[in-house]
Amino acid sequence: SQTIHQWPATLVQPVGSPLSLECTVEGTSNPNLYWYRQAAGRGLQLLFYSVGIGQISSEVPQNLSASRPQDRQFILSSKKLLLSDSGFYLCAWSRGGGELFFGEGSRLTVL
Amino acid sequence: GQQVMQIPQYQHVQEGEDFTTYCNSSTTLSNIQWYKQRPGGHPVFLIQLVKSGEVKKQKRLTFQFGEAKKNSSLHITATQTTDVGTYFCAALKAAGNKLTFGGGTRVLVKP
């Protein structure tokens, strides 16, 4: 069966510090991978998606970046965090346009 | 770009009563999906609708896709405390890999 792992689950970072969130998928190959952000009590905003290794599409301009160094690994990064980067970050995978399977999420607080 | 509007934003329901949440798009959709996110959790896939006018049921939940494939609804009968959470619709753009999420309906149940 397929599983998705995302870490860390929570982190508190000072403004201007770097960020790295990691997501891995097991039990499937060549998945579509996604990073979403959810502000408190709000909807899901698509940040990045990838249909293959090294292929990243960005949905919104921001100081975040994503990379896919391996087929089932998706990384969300920032060189310098802003206060507005606080939120709940969700990694997800899918087969084509099918249902999304979400990770447990990473709750980021930037102080 | 494609936007998906979801109403109401909040729904306070007395336990045992019914309610409906609606999802509307300005463009024709390829398909629509529904997710439920429990407080503090991650979104979990409920169902996908593809055909015009399609109706699907899951126990007390009834999902409907509009004839014009521009809107959808989720109706819950005899609400229970386990129904608490945020319900999101998500629309797939034609020939795309990205789901656009509505803002969600946050459901609170009064015992």
Side-chain angles (χ1 to χ4, degrees):
Chain A
S1 62
Q2 301 88 7
T3 56
I4 178 169
H5 302 283
Q6 184 180 342
W7 69 93
T10 59
L11 64 166
V12 180
Q13 296 283 103
V15 169
S17 65
L19 172 74
S20 181
L21 301 178
E22 190 162 342
C23 173
T24 58
V25 180
E26 297 176 359
T28 188
S29 59
N30 197 30
N32 291 343
L33 295 172
Y34 307 81
W35 278 111
Y36 285 87
R37 177 169 60 199
Q38 186 175 34
R42 304 289 294 275
L44 295 161
Q45 179 187 35
L46 179 62
L47 301 176
F48 301 95
Y49 74 96
S50 171
V51 298
I53 295 174
Q55 301 178 58
I56 308 294
S57 295
S58 174
E59 289 299 296
V60 292
Q62 59 207 319
N63 70 323
L64 298 171
S65 61
S67 61
R68 185 170 178 173
Q70 300 180 44
D71 180 45
R72 291 169 292 173
Q73 184 184 27
F74 207 23
I75 298 171
L76 183 69
S77 305
S78 174
K79 291 182 179 177
K80 288 186 177 182
L81 284 168
L82 306 172
L83 285 173
S84 57
D85 291 325
S86 292
F88 191 44
Y89 289 82
L90 290 154
C91 180
W93 75 272
S94 76
R95 277 252 166 259
E99 67 178 279
L100 287 174
F101 297 91
F102 286 89
E104 298 290 327
S106 299
R107 198 167 299 280
L108 169 66
T109 303
V110 183
L111 301 174
Chain B
Q2 176 182 290
Q3 287 197 356
V4 179
M5 307 301 294
Q6 203 172 340
I7 54 171
Q9 190 174 358
Y10 297 96
Q11 181 82 55
H12 291 81
V13 191
Q14 189 70 46
E15 190 173 13
E17 291 185 344
D18 304 351
F19 77 90
T20 304
T21 174
Y22 300 90
C23 185
N24 299 298
S25 170
S26 56
T27 59
T28 302
L29 304 172
S30 176
N31 69 43
I32 198 153
Q33 300 175 14
W34 286 89
Y35 292 78
K36 178 183 178 181
Q37 183 178 23
R38 293 183 185 276
H42 60 277
V44 174
F45 175 81
L46 294 176
I47 209 156
Q48 175 172 284
L49 304 170
V50 179
K51 299 177 184 175
S52 167
E54 188 171 15
V55 178
K56 288 188 176 179
K57 292 190 176 184
Q58 287 180 352
K59 297 182 180 178
R60 293 178 296 103
L61 277 61
T62 302
F63 303 85
Q64 188 165 7
F65 203 5
E67 292 290 342
K69 299 183 73 172
K70 288 187 176 182
N71 54 67
S72 180
S73 64
L74 160 59
H75 181 78
I76 300 183
T77 58
T79 305
Q80 300 177 359
T81 54
T82 53
D83 295 324
V84 165
T86 302
Y87 293 83
F88 292 99
C89 63
L92 182 69
K93 205 177 194 182
N97 286 299
K98 303 180 297 181
L99 280 175
T100 300
F101 279 79
T105 294
R106 190 170 173 186
V107 176
L108 300 172
V109 179
K110 294 177 281 188

